[in-house]
Amino acid sequence: MGKKQDTNEESEYGEAAQYDPTFRGPIKDRGCTDIICCILFMAVILGYIVVGILAWLYGDPRHVLYPRNSTGWFCGIGPNKGRSNLLYFDILQCATSLNIMATALKGFQCPTTQVCVETCPDDFFAVGIDKYLPGVKPKDVFNQSLCVPSINLENTALVSPNLMCLPDVQELANIPSYFSQIPGLPSSVNDTANLIKNGTGDLVNGFNAKEVGVRIFEDFASAWPWILIGLLIAMLVSMLFLLLLRFTAPVMVWVLIVGVLGAGAYGIWHCYWEYDRYKNDAASITDIGFTTNFNVYLQVQETWLAFLIIISVVEAILLLTLIFLRTRILIAISLIQESSKAIGYMMSSLLYPLVTFVLVLVCVAYWGATALYLATSGNPIYRVVALNSTMNDACRNISGTEDCDPQNFTSSSYPGCPSASCIFIKYNDEGLFQRNLFNLQIYNAVAFLWCVNFVIALGQCTLAGAFASYYWAFTKPDDIPMFPVTGSFIRTLRYHVGSLAFGSLILTLVQIVRIILEYIDHKTKDAQNAVARFILCCLKCCFWCLEKFIKFLNRNAYIMIAIYGKNFCVSAKNAFSLLMRNVIRVVVLDKVTDLLLFFGKLLVVGGVGVLSFFFFSGRILLPGSTFHSETLNYYWMPIITVVFGSYLIAHGFFSVYNMCVDTLFLCFLEDLERNDGSLQKPYFMSKNLMKILNKSNKAPKGGKK
């Protein structure tokens, strides 16, 4: 019966690999694969470079890096060098519902005068009544640095309501008294003055984010050496954990398995105890019915009986799985130990994630810069707008369609409307390049995803080739080639760019569909009914599963490409068939590896995080150290940085280890199908694996077994 099942599996998922006397690891005599996809990828890269050049020629990132004042000059550069802050004369105009609607409909900026200043005023002020008395000069009342550049207080003899300056008098607290000096004003004016005072204070308090950012920067400036030490500890712990797995993997796996079974046993006991506790209660779940107070259900006997049955069934399944799959668990443990040994012989493989990180960082930086330059392509368009259209008929007649130059604009050209201003409307969208900016942004995003997926695929294929050369070395470590990681990297770039681009393209297309679905869901969330939400949820779930499956298939296809040098489709087919012929071993190895790596990440991130918490919170004091936790404004920021950095470091190290396990596993399955332990076809697996499988290599006559 078992033989018949094996035959059916071979017919359904392909024939087992045949013995090849010339095969000794990754094939060196290979040719280029998937040339068409390689050419397409190169063409996309060249187009990506052209898009970046065009964006650089037409774009001006100063539009988003520096604010503009009312005259169109950038703050912080050029004539306004040293004045990098933008001051809004009446910031309340930016927050009214009327102006928000105008901004949304017309694209207008905040309708108030804006001036570049060195530092924004941090005090409230008002002009006293006595400042308007005859003989008072404007330069004695107003601050020149807070005026529109076209106004010179030295030559201004009259202070009018249209003078675009801010007073330099710190007398906000006396605003109500100023109003009270004017006879005939109703009490509501004083109430309004107090409201302005309180409301403006609340508004300005919302701009304390910059102060918080400065404090956080100060914390990083004083704690960065200790942050680096924390990250170094995370790196050392991650490396030590991986290298010691060859000795500790069996103990750790069985301890975790026993821990899970023990937790299940405790759950069974606790549920029975609760069941027995409510055994004599008259209340039944049918008497309670449906209620949102779930604590009521925990006081009913039937609830604990259901929990008891569920946990007992799960515990029984786990025990039966452990009994029947114990050999496969031992194989998984042995492969994990062998992976740790392989990494010990190839320590340079632990540094390869740095290469992947740098390449991904380059892709992200290029994408961000290109998107920024594309977004600022085209010259800004300025038009004449009345900042206060309710002042008079002359202001209402300004339609906002007349172009203007903010650097040469004067409101005197519009008599009767002193509030007429020249403000930014939008960027020029005319011309072939500007009309296709959206399409170029789409191209930028798609090319970015393809490049990032290609970089990840390059790393996986490189590591797979290096670890495969370790497995297929009959005498370890003597038969391991020199510089296996470098040799695999060069071999991958020389022959298999097309195959990696092919697999990356498939994954990119699925990711694009997922992005589109998320965009549709976000835009139509308020208009969806239950059926639409259900359909979108199903589609997102299906494509999420599809993306996971393609990543799994690509990963194993790259391993086969690194070993045999065949194209992507053949390699993916062979890898999938090989895994399906050993599907139970695949599941067991995957879960055991995930369990170990999860425990490792928890150990690294949790351990380093707890250590950093005790250090940065001042609970651990180092003798002779000049650093004190009292010098930090927010001690939790260095802790968050260390924890996040530790996770990235652990993920980088463990990704190498995970790739090593997957590569050795595929090689192990190939070894079982190709060889039989005879003199002509000896096994390449370790002695521990042969011992678990009750297999051995026959020794030549007169030799050792």
Side-chain angles (χ1 to χ4, degrees):
M1 187 70 179
K3 183 69 176 176
K4 184 176 181 181
Q5 185 178 357
D6 292 341
T7 304
N8 290 337
E9 286 184 358
E10 287 185 1
S11 63
E12 185 177 356
Y13 299 111
E15 297 181 358
Q18 302 299 318
Y19 172 70
D20 183 1
T22 62
F23 180 75
R24 288 294 183 271
I27 296 174
K28 295 179 176 56
D29 186 15
R30 59 178 73 194
C32 296
T33 56
D34 295 303
I35 298 177
I36 296 178
C37 200
C38 178
I39 295 174
L40 177 62
F41 182 66
M42 293 300 176
V44 170
I45 294 297
L46 290 176
Y48 202 14
I49 295 174
V50 171
V51 170
I53 294 174
L54 290 175
W56 182 78
L57 291 176
Y58 287 95
D60 187 359
R62 294 182 301 172
H63 297 313
V64 293
L65 297 178
Y66 302 99
R68 281 177 177 264
N69 63 8
S70 298
T71 58
W73 291 104
F74 292 109
C75 297
I77 58 175
N80 292 313
K81 187 175 182 180
R83 291 177 287 181
S84 58
N85 298 297
L86 185 65
L87 175 65
Y88 290 82
F89 274 24
D90 186 5
I91 200 169
L92 293 175
Q93 293 292 327
C94 308
T96 61
S97 59
L98 179 62
N99 289 326
I100 291 175
M101 291 300 297
T103 301
L105 295 175
K106 303 180 182 179
F108 292 167
Q109 279 188 322
C110 182
T112 185
T113 304
Q114 302 156 35
V115 179
C116 297
V117 295
E118 183 177 354
T119 58
C120 291
D122 54 2
D123 296 316
F124 297 104
F125 46 83
V127 179
I129 299 298
D130 58 326
K131 303 302 180 182
Y132 289 98
L133 297 176
V136 178
K137 298 181 179 180
K139 66 178 182 179
D140 298 328
V141 180
F142 297 95
N143 188 345
Q144 178 68 60
S145 65
L146 302 180
C147 293
V148 172
S150 60
I151 293 179
N152 187 350
L153 294 180
E154 293 290 340
N155 301 325
T156 303
L158 178 65
V159 178
S160 68
N162 297 327
L163 184 63
M164 296 184 178
C165 297
L166 286 183
D168 194 22
V169 182
Q170 303 177 11
E171 300 182 6
L172 178 66
N174 298 323
I175 284 181
S177 64
Y178 291 144
F179 281 104
S180 64
Q181 296 177 22
I182 304 176
L185 286 180
S187 59
S188 59
V189 175
N190 292 325
D191 297 336
T192 304
N194 289 316
L195 180 63
I196 293 174
K197 175 183 175 181
N198 298 329
T200 309
D202 295 337
L203 181 64
V204 174
N205 287 334
F207 291 92
N208 289 331
K210 182 177 180 180
E211 182 180 355
V212 174
V214 171
R215 292 180 178 179
I216 292 175
F217 181 79
E218 292 174 352
D219 291 343
F220 281 121
S222 61
W224 70 266
W226 302 103
I227 293 176
L228 292 181
I229 291 176
L231 298 180
L232 181 62
I233 293 175
M235 185 182 69
L236 293 177
V237 173
S238 300
M239 187 182 302
L240 189 63
F241 179 84
L242 295 182
L243 295 179
L244 290 180
L245 275 180
R246 72 172 76 177
F247 308 109
T248 61
V251 177
M252 291 176 59
V253 170
W254 289 115
V255 166
L256 291 173
I257 291 175
V258 171
V260 172
L261 294 177
Y266 171 78
I268 293 174
W269 174 83
H270 183 77
C271 291
Y272 178 78
W273 182 79
E274 293 285 354
Y275 170 77
D276 186 68
R277 178 184 173 188
Y278 295 104
K279 189 174 183 179
N280 298 324
D281 291 353
S284 174
I285 197 168
T286 56
D287 300 331
I288 296 175
F290 177 78
T291 177
T292 56
N293 186 7
F294 291 99
N295 290 326
V296 176
Y297 293 113
L298 297 179
Q299 301 174 6
V300 179
Q301 180 185 12
E302 287 89 339
T303 302
W304 293 106
L305 179 61
F307 287 160
L308 177 63
I309 295 173
I310 294 172
I311 297 178
S312 299
V313 171
V314 173
E315 185 82 355
I317 293 174
L318 291 176
L319 282 173
L320 292 175
T321 303
L322 180 63
I323 293 172
F324 289 105
L325 299 181
R326 62 187 184 280
T327 302
R328 290 179 171 85
I329 294 176
L330 291 175
I331 293 174
I333 294 173
S334 182
L335 282 171
I336 289 172
Q337 291 177 291
E338 197 68 18
S339 300
S340 179
K341 191 182 298 183
I343 291 176
Y345 287 128
M346 303 178 184
M347 294 296 293
S348 59
S349 62
L350 293 176
L351 299 177
Y352 190 84
L354 294 177
V355 178
T356 301
F357 175 77
V358 170
L359 292 177
V360 170
L361 191 63
V362 170
C363 294
V364 172
Y366 187 83
W367 166 79
T370 303
L372 177 63
Y373 275 86
L374 285 175
T376 57
S377 296
N379 295 323
I381 296 178
Y382 292 86
R383 287 177 182 162
V384 180
V385 176
L387 296 183
N388 189 357
S389 59
T390 61
M391 183 178 295
N392 52 42
D393 293 336
C395 292
R396 294 192 194 97
N397 292 331
I398 299 178
S399 61
T401 59
E402 182 182 354
D403 294 337
C404 60
D405 183 1
Q407 299 176 12
N408 300 318
F409 178 82
T410 57
S411 59
S412 59
S413 302
Y414 297 87
C417 186
S419 65
S421 300
C422 183
I423 68 172
F424 167 77
I425 298 297
K426 63 177 181 178
Y427 293 106
N428 182 20
D429 56 1
E430 299 179 358
L432 180 62
F433 181 77
Q434 282 74 23
R435 286 198 303 268
N436 290 278
L437 285 179
F438 178 77
N439 297 330
L440 293 176
Q441 289 284 21
I442 296 296
Y443 184 91
N444 181 30
V446 174
F448 164 72
L449 288 175
W450 197 358
C451 289
V452 169
N453 289 326
F454 176 83
V455 168
I456 296 174
L458 177 62
Q460 292 175 346
C461 194
T462 298
L463 293 174
F467 294 131
S469 65
Y470 164 83
Y471 185 93
W472 296 109
F474 190 75
T475 304
K476 302 176 179 63
D478 297 336
D479 293 342
I480 300 176
M482 294 288 292
F483 307 109
V485 177
T486 304
S488 179
F489 180 77
I490 296 174
R491 188 166 57 244
T492 302
L493 280 182
R494 181 178 179 183
Y495 297 109
H496 305 303
V497 171
S499 297
L500 301 184
F502 192 7
S504 303
L505 177 61
I506 297 174
L507 181 59
T508 300
L509 294 177
V510 175
Q511 290 173 341
I512 291 173
V513 174
R514 289 195 63 200
I515 293 174
I516 294 174
L517 289 175
E518 291 291 344
Y519 178 79
I520 294 174
D521 186 28
H522 176 72
K523 288 295 184 181
T524 61
K525 182 169 292 185
D526 296 334
Q528 292 174 8
N529 54 28
V531 177
R533 285 195 300 269
F534 174 76
I535 294 175
L536 269 177
C537 183
C538 291
L539 287 175
K540 291 194 294 184
C541 180
C542 290
F543 278 96
W544 179 84
C545 295
L546 180 60
E547 182 182 1
K548 294 295 182 183
F549 173 74
I550 289 177
K551 285 183 177 179
F552 171 79
L553 185 62
N554 284 1
R555 185 184 185 88
N556 291 281
Y558 299 148
I559 296 174
M560 302 300 280
I561 290 172
I563 298 174
Y564 299 105
K566 297 182 180 179
N567 62 48
F568 177 81
C569 291
V570 173
S571 299
K573 172 181 173 296
N574 292 340
F576 183 75
S577 300
L578 179 62
L579 294 174
M580 291 304 296
R581 291 197 296 268
N582 302 270
V583 63
I584 298 180
R585 286 172 175 167
V586 172
V587 174
V588 173
L589 177 69
D590 185 60
K591 296 308 172 187
V592 172
T593 305
D594 288 345
L595 187 65
L596 267 183
L597 296 186
F598 172 77
F599 179 77
K601 288 182 180 179
L602 187 64
L603 176 65
V604 174
V605 178
V608 176
V610 170
L611 182 64
S612 63
F613 169 77
F614 280 104
F615 177 76
F616 289 112
S617 62
R619 290 172 172 81
I620 296 179
L621 299 178
L622 296 181
S625 174
T626 59
F627 176 80
H628 298 284
S629 60
E630 291 81 5
T631 61
L632 296 176
N633 298 298
Y634 311 105
Y635 71 86
W636 45 266
M637 279 306 299
I639 297 175
I640 293 176
T641 305
V642 171
V643 169
F644 183 70
S646 300
Y647 175 80
L648 293 180
I649 291 173
H651 179 74
F653 278 103
F654 291 173
S655 65
V656 174
Y657 186 81
N658 206 3
M659 196 69 202
C660 183
V661 173
D662 291 345
T663 303
L664 297 187
F665 180 59
L666 279 184
C667 294
F668 165 72
L669 297 180
E670 286 273 320
D671 193 11
L672 283 177
E673 292 185 351
R674 286 179 175 274
N675 305 309
D676 56 10
S678 62
L679 294 177
Q680 294 79 17
K681 298 187 288 184
Y683 291 117
F684 286 79
M685 68 184 73
S686 65
K687 293 181 180 179
N688 191 24
L689 280 171
M690 287 191 284
K691 181 180 178 180
I692 294 173
L693 296 172
N694 293 322
K695 297 181 182 295
S696 62
N697 285 331
K698 293 183 179 180
K701 294 182 179 180
K704 295 182 179 180
K705 186 175 179 179

